[in-house]
Amino acid sequence: MLNCSESPRNGRAERCAVCDGKFGLVRHYSWRTPLCSKKCVDRLRVRRESDRDWLGWLQIAFNQLPENRAKAS
């Protein structure tokens, strides 16, 4: 399934993956994701870091469940 920012004729991205802005003369990439500016590169990096932090909190929450505490004791 194509992303809404991809053109159906050739599969190339027409807009920035973060802000949905148009590309200028320079196109930046992060993890093969086309971005319109260095600012969007930084925004994507922060978003990915926060996703990793969320996963750590989820792991802590599962370890705090009552049945997991009983197994640890």
Side-chain angles (χ1 to χ4, degrees):
M1 183 172 172
L2 290 176
N3 190 358
C4 64
S5 64
E6 290 181 349
S7 169
R9 17 169 222 266
N10 59 9
R12 293 182 51 159
E14 297 292 327
R15 297 203 169 253
C16 177
V18 173
C19 70
D20 203 35
K22 291 185 177 182
F23 296 116
L25 293 175
V26 177
R27 193 179 287 195
H28 302 269
Y29 288 91
S30 178
W31 293 90
R32 290 189 164 187
T33 304
L35 305 167
C36 66
S37 66
K38 190 71 171 160
K39 181 173 149 183
C40 285
V41 171
D42 293 337
R43 289 164 85 189
L44 183 66
R45 182 182 44 81
V46 168
R47 184 187 302 170
R48 288 181 190 241
E49 287 174 0
S50 69
D51 288 347
R52 276 191 297 246
D53 292 343
W54 178 84
L55 191 58
W57 282 108
L58 182 67
Q59 210 170 22
I60 291 170
F62 276 122
N63 288 336
Q64 297 298 322
L65 291 174
E67 60 269 7
N68 289 341
R69 284 189 199 159
K71 290 178 187 176
S73 298

